[in-house]
Each structure stands twice: as C-alpha cells, then as structure tokens.
Amino acid sequence: MMDSIFHEKQEGSLCAQHCLNNLLQGEYFTPVDLSSIAHQLDEEERMRMAEGGMASEEYRTFLQQPSGNMDDSGFFSIQVISNALRVWGLELILFNSREYQSLMINPINEKAFICNYKEHWFTIRKLGQQWFNLNSLLTGPELISDTYLALFLAQLQQEGYSIFVIRGNLPDCEAEQILAIMRVQQQQRPRLIGEEEAQTSAGRSAALGQTEVGFGVEDEVVDEDEELKKALALSRQDIDVEDEEADLRRAIQLSMQGAVMSNRASECEVRNVRSGGQAAGGQREGQNETLTAEELRKRRQAYFDRQQQQAQPNIPQHDSQSTGGSGPGNPSSKENQQQRPSQ
C-alpha cells in the first residue's frame, strides 16, 4: 500500500517541482513548465517597473538584477509555486498568519501543507485517514501519526521553516482511494538519501575488504598447497634414494654370495683332483677354471668397491670377511696357497 504513494526523490535543486508533484500525486509539472511560469512572472514584473518610466534608474537597475523567480540551479520562488497551484484551483495560506491562527483549526483537519526553508520545498499530505511526510530528500514516504503532526509542524517552525496550508480540492489519486479504505503501518522509517548512499558506500567498501581478505586466504591456501607439493616431492626423492641404496646393497650382497659360491665350487674341484679322481689334463682344466672364477670375483669386487665410493657415506661398508675377499683372514686364500705347492 505504501508503494501506491507517489514520491519523487531529490534531483539537483528541483525540490519545488518534487514538492508540487508529491502534493498532486503525479508527474504534473516539469522544470520547463515551472520555467515558463517564472519567465511569465518576470515579464509581469518588468512591465510594472516600466510604468514608472523605462529611462528611470529603478528600471535600469531592475533589468540588471537576476530573476527572483528562478535560477540556473532549479530553484523556483513561492510565486511560481502559487501560480502553478492556481491551475488546479488550489490556494496557499500562511500557517502562522493571524488570519489563519484566528480560525483555530486543528492541523489534522487540513488536507496538506507545503514547507519551505531557504531554497528547499517539501510536502506534508493527508492520504486516506493518515498523514505522510513526502520530503524528496527521504528515501520514501514517512508515516506521521495524528498526535505527532502538530509537534512536527511546531518543530519545523522553530527550525525556521515557512509553512503554507493548501486550500481547495486536490486531484484524485490511487493512493487516496486505497488508503481511504485501509490503514498502513510502517515498520521502518525512511532515511535521508545522503545517509543511504553513505551506508551503501560503506557496505561496498566492506564487501571489497572481505573479498580482498578472501583472496588473501586463498593465496595462503595456494601457498600451503605448493609447499605441501614440494615437501611430497622431496619426500619421494628421499624414498627413491633410499630405494636405490637398498637395491645397491642387495646387489652387492648377492654378488658377494655368488663369489663365495664360486670359490666353494673351485675348492671342491681342487679336492677332487687331489683325491685322484681326474687325470693331469683334468688338473690343468681345473686350474684354468679356478683362475677364471677368481678373476671374475676380483672384477666384481672392484666394480662394487667403486659403486660404494660413489654412493653416499651412510651406506654401510661390508667387511672383507663377509664378502669372501682374498684378504689375509680369508681361509680360502690360505688353502689355495697351501694347495698350489702340492699340485
């Protein structure tokens, strides 16, 4: 039901236009219409001044002065508003005049008021059985109770406003028809347009701040993800190195085991030769096989020694006894040394 009330919001300094249209509840006047009325009033004033003589000092001074009925900002005088309302058969009466005060009329029994302070105009009108402040500086119509109306008018007078009572029949409007059969309740009062814009700007700034914070959190999450990926990659590298080291140790152990097995096989063949199981030709063949296995073992040992030197220091070094090397503590070396003279 509040939406049915016509309410023009402030645009530039066209408060006189907004005041009239909010009073009449429709787009009845434009700046061009009010400018035409102002020019007409200026011409009437010029003609009255010319009656005293166009060569007079007063007339020349009048022509040099700007218009008192309008200016470039959109301001229009009370004379312009009064002439505009005469088109609709409406009349303005000064609220605090002796003539009106002598009537002792309760304000709630009136139809509308027009208020002016310096260059600002706004309307207070009764729609149905309720009063509304239709100030164009507000974000919407403001409901005024009957008990508060008199206080509101007194407050405006103390603030320096000139208040005019509207007399005559206002044109019919949709809001009047709707509110004549039902009353409205206003849960939240409208704010000044400047306050709404400031709150909207503050809301946008807060939203931008939250967005920036959100971006910052996302950046931190991305950084954490990158660090986690790097840590996982390094971990995989460490695991790969450990796997390679383990494979190398297993390969060395298997190789050493193979060398020991070859030495043991050679010892068995030598024992068989000493027992007389083979001829002299067989003895030479056994010696050749024993030398070939020994050379192969030494080459393997040298290869894995180089691998151990290239590997990291934390790889355990195998003792020459466990590898079956030809060190001084190796029994197989002593047996070979003892076997060769017997051969």
Side-chain angles (χ1 to χ4, degrees):
M1 289 181 291
M2 294 287 288
D3 294 337
S4 63
I5 300 175
F6 181 85
H7 179 254
E8 273 189 1
K9 297 181 181 179
Q10 189 71 23
E11 180 180 351
S13 299
L14 299 175
C15 52
Q17 170 196 322
H18 306 320
C19 175
L20 288 171
N21 289 338
N22 290 338
L23 172 66
L24 301 174
Q25 285 293 288
E27 296 179 355
Y28 290 95
F29 291 99
T30 65
V32 176
D33 298 332
L34 298 180
S35 296
S36 299
I37 297 175
H39 286 304
Q40 181 179 356
L41 290 173
D42 290 342
E43 183 62 21
E44 292 177 358
E45 292 177 5
R46 188 193 66 79
M47 292 177 63
R48 285 196 298 270
M49 293 297 297
E51 292 178 357
M54 297 179 62
S56 65
E57 186 67 24
E58 293 180 356
Y59 181 74
R60 289 195 299 268
T61 302
F62 173 79
L63 294 178
Q64 293 175 357
Q65 293 178 351
S67 171
N69 294 301
M70 63 172 293
D71 59 23
D72 295 336
S73 67
F75 166 77
F76 296 97
S77 65
I78 182 62
Q79 290 81 7
V80 175
I81 293 176
S82 178
N83 282 20
L85 291 177
R86 286 177 186 172
V87 177
W88 296 92
L90 300 175
E91 182 183 1
L92 293 176
I93 300 177
L94 188 61
F95 177 72
N96 60 350
S97 63
R98 293 182 179 179
E99 177 184 359
Y100 181 78
Q101 292 296 327
S102 63
L103 298 176
M104 302 182 63
I105 300 176
N106 192 331
I108 62 174
N109 295 325
E110 298 291 354
K111 298 179 180 178
F113 300 93
I114 284 181
C115 306
N116 168 248
Y117 179 70
K118 294 183 177 180
E119 296 182 356
H120 183 62
W121 299 87
F122 73 92
T123 294
I124 302 173
R125 174 170 172 170
K126 188 176 186 179
L127 294 168
Q129 301 300 320
Q130 294 175 289
W131 285 89
F132 296 90
N133 178 10
L134 303 179
N135 194 334
S136 58
L137 294 177
L138 296 175
T139 57
E142 180 184 20
L143 179 63
I144 300 176
S145 64
D146 291 347
T147 55
Y148 181 66
L149 177 62
L151 296 176
F152 184 47
L153 294 174
Q155 179 184 354
L156 292 175
Q157 284 184 309
Q158 290 179 355
E159 293 177 356
Y161 276 85
S162 298
I163 303 175
F164 300 89
V165 183
I166 305 297
R167 288 294 180 88
N169 295 323
L170 293 167
D172 294 335
C173 62
E174 179 183 5
E176 178 71 26
Q177 297 173 0
I178 294 175
L179 297 177
I181 58 177
M182 60 183 66
R183 299 176 66 89
V184 298
Q185 293 181 352
Q186 192 169 40
Q187 302 296 331
Q188 186 176 1
R189 292 188 177 277
R191 298 183 300 273
L192 291 173
I193 294 177
E195 294 179 357
E196 182 182 43
E197 292 177 353
Q199 185 174 1
T200 302
S201 300
R204 291 176 180 174
S205 300
L208 290 175
Q210 292 177 358
T211 304
E212 292 175 357
V213 171
F215 286 155
V217 172
E218 292 179 359
D219 293 339
E220 292 178 0
V221 173
V222 171
D223 293 339
E224 291 178 358
D225 293 341
E226 293 296 332
E227 293 178 358
L228 180 60
K229 291 179 182 179
K230 292 179 181 178
L232 291 174
L234 293 175
S235 177
R236 292 192 188 99
Q237 291 178 1
D238 294 339
I239 293 173
D240 293 341
V241 171
E242 292 177 358
D243 292 343
E244 291 177 359
E245 293 175 355
D247 293 340
L248 180 59
R249 289 195 294 270
R250 285 195 294 270
I252 292 174
Q253 292 175 357
L254 292 175
S255 177
M256 295 301 101
Q257 290 176 3
V260 172
M261 293 297 294
S262 299
N263 291 336
R264 290 179 180 176
S266 299
E267 292 174 1
C268 291
E269 291 177 355
V270 170
R271 291 192 185 95
N272 291 334
V273 170
R274 293 179 64 182
S275 63
Q278 290 183 353
Q283 292 176 358
R284 288 191 299 270
E285 184 179 356
Q287 287 178 354
N288 293 335
E289 291 178 358
T290 301
L291 293 174
T292 303
E294 182 69 16
E295 291 176 357
L296 179 59
R297 187 189 66 78
K298 289 181 179 180
R299 291 177 181 177
R300 287 179 178 177
Q301 182 64 35
Y303 171 78
F304 287 111
D305 288 342
R306 291 194 300 270
Q307 293 293 330
Q308 285 181 321
Q309 293 176 358
Q310 296 177 358
Q312 296 182 358
N314 59 355
I315 300 178
Q317 300 293 334
H318 293 279
D319 189 71
S320 59
Q321 293 182 358
S322 63
T323 59
S326 57
N330 192 342
S332 61
S333 295
K334 293 181 180 180
E335 291 180 0
N336 291 337
Q337 292 176 359
Q338 294 175 357
Q339 290 173 2
R340 287 177 185 174
S342 65
Q343 293 176 359

